Amino acid sequence: MNHYHRDHFILKILAEQYFEWEKAKKGIVAIDFESFKKKFNCSKAELELMTAKLFSEGEVMYYNVNGIEGIAIKPKGLASFAEKKYLKERKKLIFDETKNWVQVSIPILSLLLAIMIFVKSNAKLKEQDKELQAIKEQVRLLQIPQRQPPSDLKVAIDSLSRK
């Protein structure tokens, strides 16, 4: 369970206990550490670490009555639970991380696309250059002047044609 869900879950447990106490107006408004340790399968020290942020935000308070230690929700904690503060913070974190990833990946993808286009156009230019060289060679072959027969053969042909 990530810490945002965990914090919301802790506030939920404490809020439910508070509302039960509010209805009955008897019993304890708080939950002792032993009950929390069973729900979270952790030690008291781990539980205090998990609730430290809630305590520093003024949303919960620790108590010790007749040697029983526990945790109770404060009005600010009820408001945070009702507003789903920690669930919203998690959504905001996910949105911000996604936004950062997109902001980094778009320029990289654009660069890769530009490189691919450059390589493809370069290959096409090389192919066109080869075709141009082939056409130039064909033109050169067509422009070779017709060979004239040797002069002895020409004289012999002329003399035969006069007879």
Side-chain angles (χ1 to χ4, degrees):
M1 179 185 304
N2 72 46
H3 70 91
Y4 292 109
H5 281 222
R6 184 197 61 220
D7 291 348
H8 183 76
F9 186 65
I10 291 171
L11 289 177
K12 178 182 178 185
I13 293 169
L14 292 170
E16 287 171 353
Q17 179 68 22
Y18 175 81
F19 293 133
E20 285 178 25
W21 175 82
E22 188 71 31
K23 271 189 204 175
K25 290 289 185 189
K26 63 180 177 181
I28 300 176
V29 72
I31 297 179
D32 62 297
F33 280 131
E34 291 303 317
S35 299
F36 264 110
K37 289 189 323 188
K38 289 177 187 172
K39 286 188 187 218
F40 287 100
N41 193 22
C42 64
S43 69
K44 181 183 173 194
E46 290 171 326
L47 183 59
E48 287 176 349
L49 282 174
M50 289 191 293
T51 58
K53 181 178 181 187
L54 298 172
F55 180 75
S56 68
E57 294 283 330
E59 296 169 337
V60 298
M61 63 182 179
Y62 298 117
Y63 77 92
N64 185 346
V65 176
N66 299 329
I68 299 174
E69 295 178 322
I71 188 170
I73 195 164
K74 288 180 155 184
K76 187 175 179 183
L78 287 172
S80 294
F81 171 70
E83 294 170 359
K84 299 181 180 181
K85 173 184 173 181
Y86 294 103
L87 298 179
K88 288 179 182 177
E89 282 184 16
R90 181 173 187 273
K91 285 181 184 177
K92 184 181 182 317
L93 176 72
I94 290 170
F95 175 78
D96 289 344
E97 286 177 352
T98 304
K99 180 180 156 188
N100 290 341
W101 185 84
V102 168
Q103 285 177 334
V104 168
S105 63
I106 285 178
I108 292 171
L109 291 174
S110 298
L111 178 63
L112 290 175
L113 183 63
I115 290 170
M116 286 173 37
I117 290 171
F118 175 75
V119 168
K120 186 175 180 180
S121 66
N122 196 19
K124 192 172 185 177
L125 284 174
K126 285 182 180 180
E127 183 181 314
Q128 288 174 346
D129 189 42
K130 286 180 185 177
E131 289 175 8
L132 182 61
Q133 293 304 324
I135 291 172
K136 282 183 179 179
E137 181 63 24
Q138 289 175 353
V139 168
R140 188 183 65 77
L141 289 175
L142 290 174
Q143 289 179 346
I144 292 178
Q146 294 287 333
R147 291 184 111 194
Q148 297 294 330
S151 58
D152 329 345
L153 188 58
K154 192 175 182 184
V155 171
I157 291 174
D158 283 342
S159 65
L160 285 175
S161 58
R162 286 186 199 163
K163 290 183 180 181

